[in-house]
């Protein structure tokens, strides 16, 4: 499979032959909210797999796929700020607009890319402890404060 920006993905398993998942990660992007949103093979698989996974992690507009699969229905979720109204209009979901990520039971959803890092680090901390999450954050050199320095003179 070739992604939108050219990245090629070669899976080790198909939707039908993968091992049990501890965490189901559902990324966002154009495909999540346009093409795959209407693909019952994908949304049915997400729904079935989410029921068996210990955690479900949706990033950005991946929350649309979780909603279509039924996993996010009746839950509190986050999605990209530009898509909050659209997701909310689909009904049976509470979009939390002022949180970078939202934890509702075994479902963790985030607003966008850097918020997805925040939620992933929270989940790493939950699964492997805070010290491990801090080590991961240090290793990837993720230090969100201050978040933007491009306006500063060099």
């Amino acid at each position: 499979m070739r992604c939108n920006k050219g990245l090629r993905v070669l899976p080790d398993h198909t939707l039908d032959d993968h091992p049990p998942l501890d965490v189901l990660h559902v990324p966002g992007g154009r495909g999540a909210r346009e093409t795959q949103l209407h693909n019952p093979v994908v949304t049915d698989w997400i729904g079935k797999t989410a029921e068996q996974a210990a955690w479900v992690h949706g990033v950005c507009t991946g929350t649309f796929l979780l909603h279509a699969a039924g996993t996010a229905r009746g839950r509190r979720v986050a999605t990209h700020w530009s898509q909050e109204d659209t997701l909310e209009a689909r009904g049976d979901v509470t979009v939390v607009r002022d949180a970078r990520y939202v934890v509702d039971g075994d479902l963790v959803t985030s607003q966008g890319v850097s918020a997805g890092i925040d939620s992933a680090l929270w989940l790493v901390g939950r699964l492997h402890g805070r010290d491990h999450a801090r080590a991961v954050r240090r290793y990837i050199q993720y230090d969100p404060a201050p978040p933007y320095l491009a306006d500063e003179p060099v």
Side-chain angles (χ1 to χ4, degrees):
M1 173 175 127
R2 189 154 313 267
C3 298
N4 189 37
K5 303 295 183 192
L7 175 68
R8 187 170 174 209
V9 177
L10 299 171
D12 292 325
H13 299 279
T14 68
L15 295 179
D16 296 324
D17 80 345
H18 63 84
L21 303 178
D22 295 324
V23 178
L24 170 61
H25 174 75
V26 181
R30 182 177 295 142
R33 66 181 182 274
E34 293 176 7
T35 13
Q36 298 309 312
L37 184 62
H38 308 291
N39 182 344
V41 172
V42 171
T43 56
D44 290 351
W45 177 83
I46 289 172
K48 178 181 75 172
T49 305
E51 288 175 359
Q52 299 167 359
W55 289 95
V56 178
H57 182 232
V59 174
C60 195
T61 55
T63 307
F64 279 75
L65 287 170
L66 292 169
H67 184 273
T71 307
R73 292 180 186 253
R75 313 281 289 267
R76 296 172 62 246
V77 299
T79 192
H80 191 272
W81 64 267
S82 69
Q83 300 297 314
E84 291 171 338
D85 291 338
T86 304
L87 180 59
E88 195 167 63
R90 292 182 174 274
D92 198 21
V93 67
T94 301
V95 176
V96 180
R97 296 165 184 265
D98 59 350
R100 290 178 59 76
Y101 64 93
V102 174
V103 179
D104 186 332
D106 62 352
L107 176 64
V108 184
T109 54
S110 67
Q111 291 181 328
V113 175
S114 65
I117 296 170
D118 294 344
S119 61
L121 286 170
W122 180 89
L123 189 53
V124 167
R126 185 68 181 221
L127 293 169
H128 303 289
R130 286 182 173 179
D131 288 342
H132 187 75
R134 287 183 185 116
V136 169
R137 186 186 72 188
R138 179 174 164 78
Y139 185 78
I140 65 173
Q141 294 186 304
Y142 181 64
D143 189 8
Y148 183 69
L149 295 176
D151 291 335
E152 299 297 319
V154 180

